[in-house]
Amino acid sequence: MNDTIKVLCERRSVRSYKDKQVPKEILDEILKCGTFAPSGMGLQSAVIIAIQDKELIKKIAKINASIMGRDNDPFYGAPTLVIVFAKKDIPTYIKDGSAVMTNILNAAFSLGVDSCWIDRAKETFETNDGKELLASFNLDDNYEGIGNIILGYRDGDLPIAKKRKENYIIYRLSLIHISEPTRLG
């Protein structure tokens, strides 16, 4: 199995982190991979915000948790938070942002950094506090939160993959029926 296939098949969502920060050089490499994700017509609608400030992460976590009606830490104590936004006026913005997130998740794992995609970025940045944070990132309300990624080093074993469901892949193969060879005159 080549290294890329191994990363794609073995990466798992991690929900327990050590108090150990992802070094900036590694974070830079991970985020760079996000910038090379495919985007509709090459318009690159996404923007990546990387946060390693514990207090700011706690503030965003509190807003995210409140959307679920909870007061727990939806970021599981991870030391790095990456938020992907995308410009709503580009028709493929959700797909573009999702591709960026997927590249980041896989790049992180390839470099020994664990991750988890955390939802509710859209709802978080639609709140009044979220709108203030959005402005602090120099983004206007034309940007929508696509998702959050937490990054860090797992505290424990890598989770076991769930069994893949039946009929995950359906093939429709063309069958070409060849009767008699055609003779050219």
Side-chain angles (χ1 to χ4, degrees):
M1 177 179 325
N2 77 28
D3 291 342
T4 301
I5 299 297
K6 185 173 173 59
V7 165
L8 294 173
C9 292
E10 293 183 5
R11 191 208 73 78
R12 298 284 168 267
S13 293
V14 170
R15 293 177 179 86
S16 181
Y17 292 87
K18 294 178 182 175
D19 187 19
K20 177 183 176 189
Q21 191 55 268
V22 177
K24 183 157 183 330
E25 311 77 55
I26 293 174
L27 181 60
D28 288 345
E29 195 165 348
I30 292 167
L31 299 177
K32 179 176 112 181
C33 291
T35 71
F36 282 91
S39 65
M41 299 185 310
L43 294 176
Q44 302 176 34
S45 66
V47 172
I48 303 165
I49 304 293
I51 303 168
Q52 292 188 317
D53 177 307
K54 282 185 181 187
E55 292 309 310
L56 183 53
I57 293 172
K58 283 181 188 177
K59 182 175 183 174
I60 296 168
K62 185 176 179 180
I63 299 168
N64 189 298
S66 73
I67 292 163
M68 298 183 294
R70 298 188 181 154
D71 63 359
N72 63 326
D73 176 8
F75 299 147
Y76 303 100
T80 299
L81 171 63
V82 174
I83 310 163
V84 175
F85 295 91
K87 286 183 79 168
K88 295 187 281 188
D89 61 353
I90 297 192
T92 56
Y93 78 102
I94 293 173
K95 294 168 189 155
D96 295 348
S98 297
V100 168
M101 292 191 58
T102 301
N103 271 23
I104 290 170
L105 293 164
N106 289 316
F109 189 71
S110 77
L111 295 172
V113 176
D114 297 293
S115 63
C116 188
W117 181 321
I118 306 293
D119 208 8
R120 295 170 302 281
K122 176 184 187 299
E123 298 83 355
T124 295
F125 292 93
E126 288 175 340
T127 67
N128 289 333
D129 288 339
K131 288 177 184 177
E132 284 180 25
L133 286 167
L134 190 65
S136 77
F137 302 146
N138 294 317
L139 299 176
D140 59 34
D141 62 1
N142 190 37
Y143 284 89
E144 183 173 291
I146 303 301
N148 305 286
I149 298 172
I150 53 174
L151 296 173
Y153 298 96
R154 70 180 169 270
D155 188 10
D157 295 331
L158 189 65
I160 303 295
K162 290 182 180 179
K163 185 178 183 220
R164 302 293 95 179
K165 67 181 183 179
E166 298 270 332
N167 301 315
Y168 212 138
I169 301 168
I170 299 171
Y171 286 100
R172 281 300 288 225
L173 304 175
S174 349
L175 298 175
I176 300 172
H177 180 68
I178 301 174
S179 52
E180 290 270 331
T182 304
R183 292 183 184 209
L184 299 175

